[in-house]
Amino acid sequence: MKKCVGFLFLLTLWMLPAAGPAAAVDEQSSPVVVDEMIVTASRSEQQNEKVPAQITVLTAEDIRASGAQSVPEALQNLGGVIVTDLNGNGFNQQVDMGGFGETASRHVAVVVNGRKINPIDQSSINFLSIPIENVEKIEVLHGGNSVLYGSDAMGGVINIITREATAGVHGWGEAGGGTHDTFKGTAGLSFSEGRFGGHVGAVYYETDGYRERSEADRKSAYAKLFYSASDMLDLSLEANTTRADYEYPGGMTQSQMAADRRQAVNLEDEGESQEDYYVLSVRSDWGRLGRLNVDLSCKNYERQDTMVSWDFPAWGYYGYYDYDYTTLGANPQYVLNHSILGRDNRLTAGIEFYDTDYDAWNGDTATQTQINTYDHEQTSVGFYVQDEFSLVDNLVLNMGARYEDFDTTLRSSLGTDKDLSENEWAWNLGLAYIYAPGSKVYFRTYQAFRFPKADEFMILSTGAVNEDLNHETSMGYEAGVRFVGLDKRLSANARLFSFDVDDEITWNDFSNQNENLDETRHQGGELDIAFQATDLLRLFGGFGYTDAEFTAGTYDGKKIPLVPEFKANLGFALNFDFGLTYRCQYNHLGKRYAGGDNDNAYDKIDSADTVDMYLSYSIKKIELFLNATNIFDEEYHNGYNYGPGYESYQYRSAYILP
């Protein structure tokens, strides 16, 4: 599709002295790799090179330099990560890791400070609830890890770590505007004195979007307070609220696209949502006896969708949906660092408990009165243990296991009354060989799983429940290498992976329900490189190859739809010592089959090649920057779906914040 050149012009004022944009040039001139401590692979701090997995770390400075306005946008430059935006306004973004296509968002575990935020239903992960301005860093674990993160962690794990308070008192503000009447404003305050500290902030964002009726806005406020009661005990309380309003322009047919790419097909479809969450964290350090961490969380999510295009009361289909669910979580974790036979050893054990009460109803859009009601509940309890043992000084053995019990209760006014219970084991085994400081070669094998979502079991329009639907399991193998050299000015991460999935769940248009597929295989490779050639010039690039196909049954040998085989990006950044930064990047997304085209009977979606640019200038406490995406107006779209008797196209509407 034709994506207009977009730009973002921001004025950032740092009201009190702080480490901020003014220091960006010095930071970018430093080595591309620092001594990385990560938490995702063991749920507590660990050196990256000791982990038998590929972990990509994006710092706050990396995110800012990319111009990203959401977590998915920050990830789209990674070689093995595919990001789609179905509405074209940033309000329905999905992340694919491992090549799952249409069900991508259900195969990636997303956690914020260790707390999972994957929804109970098939809706996409609500990335709007995570203001990118409040993100300190993002850690991406490539490949499955159900041992530590349970269901959904089949393609990868995205761990979002929010900002901590800094010493003293610091404030900041930011305002910007762009094409399509886009505006963004943010402000915050950080403070710390003695044993007490915290930070608060707020974000407002609005855009009319590229297409007609793709207007959207969001308002977020967040706060985190901490108190260090003693050298052994730390307490923190985190709160976040996000409200969003958005329009759905709808999918277009091929002829509609040819007539006008910017038109809206659905002239009255729209929605709004509200999400609030609270997290109380307790960190206790008992010295040689280990550490005990406990997180208690509560999340409430409300959404109302007015989908006039779905309204067919005579057929029993209603377009107004009202969702309200609350999730309570409790996550105690124990970590013990204790040598065995003189060798370093770390034991991690924990429990993950989540209980979600899901209430929903639908009715006709004209009166918005209740017709059908739904009352579901899902409870999961997972017990996990993982051990990391140094066989020798530079060889680390990692092994772990998890058992999870999963219960679903489905109730509806349509006569549904079902109780479903499942359970599953996960395990992993890996070795990491540290051949140089910061560098490693690793191999691992694992089993992961995913339990069905509530509305994968039940069809909301009829109340029918597929009791024969099984949960998914996967068996995977992975090998990779991480290299850090040239005084940490060069960093390269490469991995090869292959995993088979049994009972992968997908929608069947003909039977009108979710069903289990025969076996599928996902394999490929990824490469990400960064090189600080000089203090002025930084080079970077990423490449991903994914071969996802059906390996048994009706579609044996066919490719899984909406999974491109190739993805690549290549770019450079110039960081001048007087405060000017210029960045240019080329992006390639390969061809893939349309959604629903399991037979691979239709033409592939065309590949896309785009170029983005970023320019910033920092002086003292002020930063000005300009962000432009798809500067050559490449025509492309995110994908389309084939179904019985129709073709429906979902386009990536041009939007200005990449």
Side-chain angles (χ1 to χ4, degrees):
M1 59 165 290
K2 189 172 184 177
K3 185 177 178 186
C4 300
V5 176
F7 66 91
L8 179 65
F9 184 72
L10 289 175
L11 171 65
T12 304
L13 173 62
W14 294 79
M15 297 178 288
L16 294 172
V25 174
D26 291 336
E27 292 177 10
Q28 292 179 1
S29 297
S30 64
V32 296
V33 175
V34 296
D35 295 325
E36 288 181 350
M37 297 295 292
I38 58 173
V39 299
T40 307
S42 57
R43 302 197 79 144
S44 59
E45 284 195 345
Q46 179 63 286
Q47 292 175 288
N48 197 328
E49 62 266 29
K50 292 185 177 182
V51 176
Q54 181 174 320
I55 310 289
T56 303
V57 179
L58 300 176
T59 66
E61 185 55 40
D62 295 329
I63 295 169
R64 188 171 189 83
S66 72
Q69 298 300 306
S70 68
V71 169
E73 290 174 11
L75 302 176
Q76 63 187 357
N77 293 332
L78 301 181
V81 178
I82 306 297
V83 176
T84 57
D85 184 348
L86 297 182
N87 292 348
N89 52 21
F91 281 63
N92 191 7
Q93 295 177 315
Q94 297 185 13
V95 178
D96 190 355
M97 299 178 65
F100 286 93
E102 294 172 274
T103 62
S105 63
R106 286 165 253 165
H107 291 89
V108 176
V110 179
V111 297
V112 178
N113 299 326
R115 173 184 61 90
K116 281 185 70 173
I117 65 170
N118 294 72
I120 184 177
D121 58 11
Q122 296 181 78
S123 59
S124 299
I125 295 163
N126 185 24
F127 286 107
L128 297 178
S129 67
I130 315 163
I132 195 71
E133 298 77 12
N134 190 34
V135 174
E136 182 65 28
K137 68 174 179 177
I138 304 171
E139 296 181 0
V140 181
L141 188 154
H142 302 254
N145 194 326
S146 286
V147 168
L148 293 180
Y149 296 98
S151 182
D152 303 321
M154 297 186 73
V157 179
I158 301 169
N159 187 12
I160 300 143
I161 300 168
T162 57
R163 298 174 61 165
E164 297 289 345
T166 54
V169 180
H170 309 282
W172 65 91
E174 183 179 287
T179 54
H180 312 307
D181 292 329
T182 298
F183 172 80
K184 175 185 174 183
T186 180
L189 179 69
S190 175
F191 54 92
S192 179
E193 182 66 32
R195 294 183 177 274
F196 180 74
H199 69 268
V200 296
V203 181
Y204 177 77
Y205 173 84
E206 66 176 21
T207 181
D208 284 350
Y210 172 76
R211 289 179 59 188
E212 297 174 5
R213 286 198 52 79
S214 59
E215 182 178 334
D217 68 75
R218 67 176 170 94
K219 310 173 189 69
S220 298
Y222 54 88
K224 186 174 184 179
L225 304 175
F226 75 86
Y227 176 66
S228 182
S230 68
D231 293 339
M232 295 179 58
L233 181 63
D234 294 323
L235 306 172
S236 68
L237 177 63
E238 184 178 0
N240 185 301
T241 182
T242 299
R243 176 176 176 81
D245 298 273
Y246 35 85
E247 296 174 329
Y248 297 106
M252 290 187 286
T253 64
Q254 189 174 18
S255 59
Q256 289 170 331
M257 179 193 68
D260 181 4
R261 291 175 174 269
R262 300 185 61 173
Q263 68 174 300
V265 177
N266 302 328
L267 302 181
E268 299 178 82
D269 290 0
E270 58 190 17
E272 59 184 63
S273 65
Q274 172 81 39
E275 180 169 321
D276 307 294
Y277 73 78
Y278 310 91
V279 183
L280 174 64
S281 299
V282 181
R283 303 286 183 264
S284 58
D285 190 339
W286 301 343
R288 295 180 60 185
L289 297 179
R291 302 191 306 272
L292 178 63
N293 305 323
V294 179
D295 290 334
L296 303 175
S297 61
C298 176
K299 179 180 77 171
N300 180 252
Y301 179 69
E302 299 178 11
R303 188 175 89 241
Q304 295 80 40
D305 288 329
T306 304
M307 307 298 292
V308 177
S309 62
W310 295 2
D311 224 2
F312 297 97
W315 297 354
Y317 292 97
Y318 302 97
Y320 184 82
Y321 282 84
D322 187 296
Y323 306 88
D324 184 351
Y325 64 80
T326 300
T327 300
L328 301 177
N331 306 309
Q333 179 193 62
Y334 175 70
V335 181
L336 176 64
N337 290 298
H338 182 69
S339 63
I340 297 178
L341 301 176
R343 296 295 179 186
D344 292 340
N345 186 78
R346 171 183 289 181
L347 176 68
T348 303
I351 301 172
E352 275 198 313
F353 169 83
Y354 291 102
D355 181 81
T356 300
D357 185 17
Y358 176 101
D359 295 313
W361 61 271
N362 66 359
D364 68 272
T365 57
T367 63
Q368 295 185 3
T369 55
Q370 290 188 8
I371 304 296
N372 302 317
T373 61
Y374 310 89
D375 181 8
H376 306 327
E377 183 177 4
Q378 277 192 348
T379 302
S380 64
V381 183
F383 305 88
Y384 64 87
V385 60
Q386 178 170 280
D387 192 76
E388 301 161 84
F389 177 63
S390 296
L391 298 172
V392 294
D393 290 342
N394 57 353
L395 183 63
V396 180
L397 172 66
N398 183 301
M399 51 187 175
R402 181 190 188 103
Y403 174 80
E404 186 159 327
D405 188 73
F406 181 80
D407 298 307
T408 302
T409 299
L410 302 172
R411 306 277 188 271
S412 81
S413 60
L414 296 169
T416 306
D417 189 349
K418 299 291 183 181
D419 293 302
L420 306 172
S421 296
E422 299 187 76
N423 57 73
E424 187 55 82
W425 285 89
W427 54 265
N428 63 44
L429 179 66
L431 282 170
Y433 174 67
I434 306 167
Y435 64 89
S439 302
K440 65 183 176 185
V441 175
Y442 72 87
F443 171 81
R444 72 181 181 115
T445 181
Y446 61 87
Q447 177 171 294
F449 61 82
R450 182 179 83 85
F451 293 118
K453 303 296 184 179
D455 52 352
E456 285 182 311
F457 280 122
M458 173 186 280
I459 303 172
L460 293 184
S461 59
T462 65
V465 174
N466 183 0
E467 297 183 64
D468 297 325
L469 192 67
N470 297 319
H471 63 269
E472 303 177 2
T473 58
S474 67
M475 177 74 177
Y477 303 90
E478 178 181 335
V481 60
R482 168 183 163 94
F483 174 75
V484 177
L486 301 180
D487 294 327
K488 298 183 180 179
R489 301 175 75 89
L490 174 63
S491 170
N493 287 281
R495 68 186 283 257
L496 297 174
F497 66 90
S498 178
F499 60 92
D500 294 333
V501 181
D502 288 326
D503 294 320
E504 190 168 333
I505 300 170
T506 190
W507 177 260
N508 187 322
D509 280 315
F510 295 96
S511 63
N512 201 37
Q513 66 178 1
N514 284 288
E515 296 179 349
N516 295 112
L517 291 170
D518 294 299
E519 186 181 83
T520 60
R521 175 166 295 164
H522 306 247
Q523 57 189 3
E526 301 168 11
L527 174 65
D528 290 288
I529 298 177
F531 177 46
Q532 191 73 41
T534 68
D535 288 345
L536 172 66
L537 176 64
R538 174 187 172 109
L539 305 173
F540 56 89
F543 173 81
Y545 168 75
T546 303
D547 179 18
E549 66 177 11
F550 303 97
T551 54
T554 305
Y555 307 114
D556 187 11
K558 304 296 185 181
K559 301 297 182 182
I560 295 177
L562 292 180
V563 179
E565 284 190 323
F566 295 99
K567 181 202 171 182
N569 66 78
L570 183 66
F572 68 90
L574 300 174
N575 304 294
F576 298 92
D577 57 11
F578 56 85
L580 181 68
T581 297
Y582 174 76
R583 174 187 174 113
C584 184
Q585 177 174 315
Y586 161 77
N587 312 289
H588 171 79
L589 186 64
K591 294 182 177 182
R592 63 275 193 210
Y593 286 102
D597 186 14
N598 293 346
D599 285 313
N600 298 172
Y602 300 93
D603 292 337
K604 288 184 176 181
I605 302 170
D606 290 337
S607 61
D609 298 276
T610 61
V611 177
D612 305 331
M613 291 196 308
Y614 170 89
L615 182 68
S616 73
Y617 178 66
S618 300
I619 180 171
K620 295 183 179 179
K621 302 174 187 178
I622 297 175
E623 180 183 21
L624 305 171
F625 65 89
L626 178 74
N627 196 46
T629 64
N630 194 12
I631 61 175
F632 296 115
D633 289 348
E634 171 76 2
E635 295 184 352
Y636 69 104
H637 55 82
N638 262 348
Y640 53 84
N641 295 281
Y642 285 103
Y646 69 87
E647 301 174 12
S648 176
Y649 287 69
Q650 289 289 342
Y651 291 99
R652 180 176 186 178
S653 303
Y655 64 105
I656 67 168
L657 306 174

